[in-house]
Amino acid sequence: MKNWRIALVAIVGGFLSITSTVVRAEGGAGPEAMSMGNMCMVMFGYDMIHITAYQPGKSRSEYCEEIPSAGLTTFSYDIENPAFRDFPIDVRIIRDPLTPVSITTDVEALTEKHLPFKKYSKGTFSFDHEFKNTGHYIGMVTLERPDGTRELAMYKFSVGETLWAWVPQLA
């Protein structure tokens, strides 16, 4: 079972080195973010945190880059690397300013939801957020290493601006 995980991480890492967008952090190259199918993840080196969004009042589907409508949405984060369970993690959902965002950008005015630094020793956590508006958003995950350095990984998604938003009208 452990060899399977190592192989998966190696394959995903190789894929990332070819196709993903690199997010710059202070001091050089930063972590990466990507999605495969409907599964989102942020990468810190070869280690990943899986992210899934749900709209429990509307469907049983899982979402990643396209959440079909505004309203109550549950985000679930699964921390793959057991060592990361001892590192503080900060999570933000911000409105996309359509300009570059980095670890030094002041995002307070753009923040829709903020979970301050906390250790998630069980390796998984979730939270609910009520999206009042459709539009483009960025999920920001900041990891604080034992030496105090912080790494930022981001994933972009849209709310209510998807093909799914037209399904009720077409039906």
Side-chain angles (χ1 to χ4, degrees):
M1 184 72 161
K2 197 169 195 167
N3 289 338
W4 176 83
R5 282 189 168 177
I6 292 169
L8 176 63
V9 169
I11 291 168
V12 169
F15 178 77
L16 285 174
S17 67
I18 296 169
T19 62
S20 70
T21 303
V22 174
V23 178
R24 296 283 173 200
E26 291 179 316
E32 302 165 341
M34 67 171 279
S35 67
M36 289 175 26
N38 212 22
M39 180 174 70
C40 286
M41 62 186 79
V42 289
M43 301 293 296
F44 295 94
Y46 290 108
D47 297 305
M48 63 187 89
I49 298 177
H50 292 269
I51 304 156
T52 308
Y54 305 91
Q55 290 195 309
K58 298 179 181 178
S59 80
R60 293 182 181 209
S61 298
E62 298 177 0
Y63 304 107
C64 174
E65 295 174 332
E66 298 177 342
I67 298 173
S69 62
L72 183 64
T73 304
T74 300
F75 289 89
S76 176
Y77 291 71
D78 294 309
I79 303 167
E80 288 293 314
N81 183 340
F84 284 8
R85 297 172 187 184
D86 294 326
F87 298 172
I89 296 174
D90 175 275
V91 176
R92 281 183 191 267
I93 304 294
I94 67 168
R95 289 181 309 282
D96 190 343
L98 304 176
T99 59
V101 176
S102 74
I103 200 163
T104 59
T105 304
D106 181 10
V107 295
E108 199 60 42
L110 302 170
T111 300
E112 293 256 333
K113 182 76 171 186
H114 181 218
L115 300 176
F117 281 101
K118 179 180 175 179
K119 294 179 183 178
Y120 296 98
S121 59
K122 293 185 180 183
T124 186
F125 64 97
S126 62
F127 62 89
D128 291 335
H129 178 64
E130 180 83 29
F131 285 100
K132 304 231 185 282
N133 299 303
T134 61
H136 296 273
Y137 293 86
I138 300 173
M140 303 174 72
V141 181
T142 307
L143 178 80
E144 186 175 299
R145 301 255 180 204
D147 66 1
T149 60
R150 293 182 175 178
E151 295 177 37
L152 170 66
M154 297 182 277
Y155 62 99
K156 293 187 174 197
F157 62 97
S158 62
V159 174
E161 296 186 358
T162 68
L163 179 60
W164 290 109
W166 293 97
V167 170
Q169 286 83 0
L170 295 174

